[in-house]
Amino acid sequence: MDVMTAILTRRSEHFLADPAPSDDELTYLLRGAATAPDHGTLKPWRWILLRGKDRVVLGDCLADEHPGQASDRMAARMLSAPLLAVLVFAPRPDAKVPEWEQLAATSSMTHSLMLLLHARGYGSIWRTGRLAESTAACALLRIDPAESLLGGLWIGTPDAAKERPRRPLEDVSHRISVFRATGQTAVEHVSHAV
């Protein structure tokens, strides 16, 4: 699958079944995703993989933290894919690279991973929500106070029968301008239509 096809056909998949990539296969794909733009090559992230009953433990943890009608849905959501890869942002405060750039690098790597998974026939969805805000999940997963949860990727195999048409290429020309210096002090921004 070429890159443009992967970009235009990837979807956030809500219903995922077995198989999911093995730990070795996911590690291989992460090696590729880790080549995403990363100022200083800091790799300010790590992943925690949960399968089987470990997803139930995390779901129960979130449900206990937020009792009520939504708690059952939260617990069930942890089981909506055979692999849950929790994304941990681990910024490097000692680096010269600002934290926002480290977060951008983490997001770039995650999107690259989603494209690589899609190109291999897997599906994924990046969810944040309660998982990203949970102090109980941080304690359960032993997240360092200097780190933060950015949610997780639910990963598995999407329903092959579901139609996934290519996304149309939208007109983004109104979001592009060309800078031209017109003298010592004047600056002109020219709208650029493609």
Side-chain angles (χ1 to χ4, degrees):
M1 179 181 303
D2 67 272
V3 177
M4 185 62 98
T5 298
I7 288 171
L8 295 179
T9 58
R10 188 208 64 80
R11 299 289 188 275
S12 291
E13 299 286 353
H14 295 270
F15 304 103
L16 296 159
D18 281 312
S22 67
D23 291 355
D24 287 343
E25 185 176 12
L26 187 69
T27 300
Y28 172 74
L29 295 176
L30 271 172
R31 290 175 69 191
T35 66
D38 180 357
H39 186 183
T41 58
L42 300 175
K43 295 182 182 43
W45 45 263
R46 62 189 183 92
W47 293 91
I48 301 170
L49 307 182
L50 293 90
R51 300 177 192 269
K53 293 180 182 177
D54 295 327
R55 298 167 302 153
V56 174
V57 172
L58 180 58
D60 290 345
C61 171
L62 292 171
D64 291 346
E65 188 177 35
H66 299 280
Q69 286 184 317
S71 65
D72 289 343
R73 282 199 320 266
M74 277 188 282
R77 179 168 280 174
M78 297 301 122
L79 300 175
S80 63
L83 171 59
L84 171 53
V86 175
L87 176 56
V88 180
F89 179 46
R92 298 266 305 275
D94 57 322
K96 293 180 181 177
V97 179
E99 189 171 307
W100 72 264
E101 282 192 60
Q102 296 184 49
L103 182 59
T106 301
S107 297
S108 294
M109 174 276 305
T110 304
H111 186 243
S112 294
L113 178 59
M114 294 175 81
L115 289 173
L116 289 166
L117 286 163
H118 172 60
R120 283 258 173 138
Y122 297 113
S124 64
I125 183 169
W126 187 355
R127 290 188 169 121
T128 54
R130 298 284 170 110
L131 177 58
E133 301 163 354
S134 173
T135 56
C138 284
L140 176 71
L141 299 171
R142 297 185 180 100
I143 305 302
D144 187 273
E147 299 176 324
S148 43
L149 289 178
L150 297 182
L153 286 186
W154 277 248
I155 301 169
T157 300
D159 180 357
K162 183 180 175 186
E163 188 177 344
R164 291 169 188 83
R166 285 174 74 102
R167 295 177 199 258
L169 290 174
E170 294 183 29
D171 179 13
V172 295
S173 60
H174 63 286
R175 296 191 174 274
I176 303 170
S177 62
V178 176
F179 172 84
R180 290 195 183 108
T182 58
Q184 293 285 334
T185 57
V187 173
E188 173 187 14
H189 281 278
V190 180
S191 186
H192 181 67
V194 194

